[in-house]
Amino acid sequence: MATNDPHPGDDGIDREALLSTLHRFVEREIVPHLDGWEAAGTLPRSLYKTAGELGLLALGFPEAYGGVPCSNETTVAVVEALARAGSGGLIAGLLSHGIALPAIVALGSPELCETVVTPTLAGRTIAALAVTEPGGGSDVANLRTSARRDGDDYVLDGAKTFITSGVAADWLTVAARTGGPGFGGVTLFAVPGASAGLTRRPLHKMGWWCSDTAEIHLDGVRVPAHLRIGDEGTGFPALMANFNRERLMIAAMAVAFARVATDDALDWCRSRETFGRPLVQRQVVRHRLVAMETAVRAARAFLLETARAVDAKAAEGEGADADLVAEVCMVKNHCTAMLEHVAGDAVQLLGGMGYMRGVRVERIFRETKVLSIGGGASEILTDLAARQLGF
């Protein structure tokens, strides 16, 4: 994957070779099986193993734990390749470790990283992030799950919901309260999925069917103290530091799926004839396709500009990219709103076929709203951006 002489600012990844590998992976290992996984509501563990062997799961993580550091721009390209399968659930489920592991890498001991991070990047285990609670939504600072010290263990009680990979996860990065109210009392724990007192219930969703989503209950779950991630009270800053990456990932998914929807709509309009002529020969159709293409290109330019700015800031040192919170919020909101519009237009152009299961456009349209909500609902991110910009 590496080149001997990457151009300045590059991450050293041979992007052409990487994308060629990913395209083959999508066509051979995913597309033929995707409808079955959607029906089953989960991804097979063998897929994680294959993805781990390819190095896909390692992208963006330190070499010390089997990772391959990469830029946000490379991440955008990877998402675009995976999006050709036409399933957001695939990306969310297969890459759930992307939001579960960064806090462990940042705060955890080398021993904890070797225990949790290394096997997950290799595809041997699955990791999930468990923060959102039934009554809390995006209000992370006021979570209610508790963790009290009892000898060499912590005892966790509470509930989490909307947890991606929550049913399958071997490891859960759980946010719990060890101190007083507010963000200062939040601590993170690496909780084994097989822990006594931990129960999971699958949730059924409008979209992302092949990505299992769970409600999790912790009833007196004992977690050894050495599985605490960092010191007590350091959980909230670690979660906030991960939000830029998560929101950029969501924006990348939105742009990638808008590209797929636009391409599929164009192919349909070229081949579909009405009243003796292909649809694409009709002015109203051509104009709608041009508007879709314009929206996708503009959003992608905004996304890449922001991704490069975050990479540049991150290179300045730990936490420097926090200066770009407003920009990341804005690009996430812009790209997800664009996808809603473009996916709707694509369904309209396909007509009745756009409403049929098994068509990529139909699946993408159903999955638009989760991107506008996940990582912080658009209304919350708009207000956050306003405050960061001093408005």
Side-chain angles (χ1 to χ4, degrees), residues 82-311:
L82 294 175
R84 301 310 299 181
S87 169
L90 167 77
I91 297 175
L94 187 59
L95 303 184
S96 64
H97 70 291
I99 56 174
L101 298 184
I104 300 177
V105 170
L107 299 178
S109 66
E111 293 78 16
L112 182 59
C113 290
E114 288 289 349
T115 300
V116 180
V117 177
T118 299
T120 300
L121 299 186
R124 297 194 299 272
T125 56
I126 298 171
L129 178 67
V131 175
T132 303
E133 298 187 346
S138 298
D139 191 6
V140 178
N142 290 313
L143 59 83
R144 297 181 180 180
T145 296
S146 65
R148 60 179 177 83
R149 188 70 183 253
D150 183 23
D152 293 333
D153 298 334
Y154 284 85
V155 180
L156 274 61
D157 290 280
K160 302 293 181 179
T161 195
F162 309 142
I163 308 306
T164 301
S165 295
V167 174
D170 303 291
W171 289 98
L172 294 137
T173 300
V174 176
R177 185 165 301 285
T178 54
F183 62 84
V186 177
T187 302
L188 299 178
F189 297 88
V191 179
S195 298
L198 188 153
T199 57
R200 334 182 201 205
R201 181 175 69 89
L203 299 174
H204 303 289
K205 314 177 295 295
M206 180 167 66
W208 280 14
W209 292 355
C210 66
S211 169
D212 90 60
T213 304
E215 183 175 89
I216 295 171
H217 291 271
L218 303 118
D219 185 11
V221 174
R222 301 190 73 88
V223 179
H226 69 267
L227 296 181
R228 187 186 69 208
I229 302 169
D231 296 329
E232 287 193 6
T234 60
F236 187 80
L239 292 174
M240 294 303 104
N242 192 41
F243 273 142
N244 269 359
R245 177 185 174 93
E246 181 182 6
R247 289 164 183 163
L248 276 176
M249 183 75 167
I250 290 171
M253 289 173 67
V255 171
F257 288 119
R259 164 52 58 203
V260 173
T262 299
D263 289 349
D264 284 3
L266 177 58
D267 289 344
W268 174 262
C269 291
R270 282 173 170 163
S271 62
R272 174 67 167 170
E273 290 193 3
T274 60
F275 305 101
R277 285 195 295 164
L279 278 174
V280 77
Q281 291 185 10
R282 302 184 184 280
Q283 186 182 68
V284 67
V285 171
R286 291 201 306 272
H287 287 190
R288 180 168 289 193
L289 287 166
V290 168
M292 294 164 66
E293 183 70 24
T294 301
V296 175
R297 292 192 189 192
R300 189 173 190 271
F302 187 13
L303 170 64
L304 289 176
E305 177 187 48
T306 306
R308 290 164 184 158
V310 171
D311 283 335

Side-chain angles (χ1 to χ4, degrees), residues 4 31 39 53 70 78 103 135 174 181 194 199 203 219 225 252 276 315 320 343 352 364 367 376:
N4 293 325
V31 171
E53 291 170 350
C70 72
V78 168
V174 176
T199 57
L203 299 174
D219 185 11
I364 289 169
E367 295 181 345

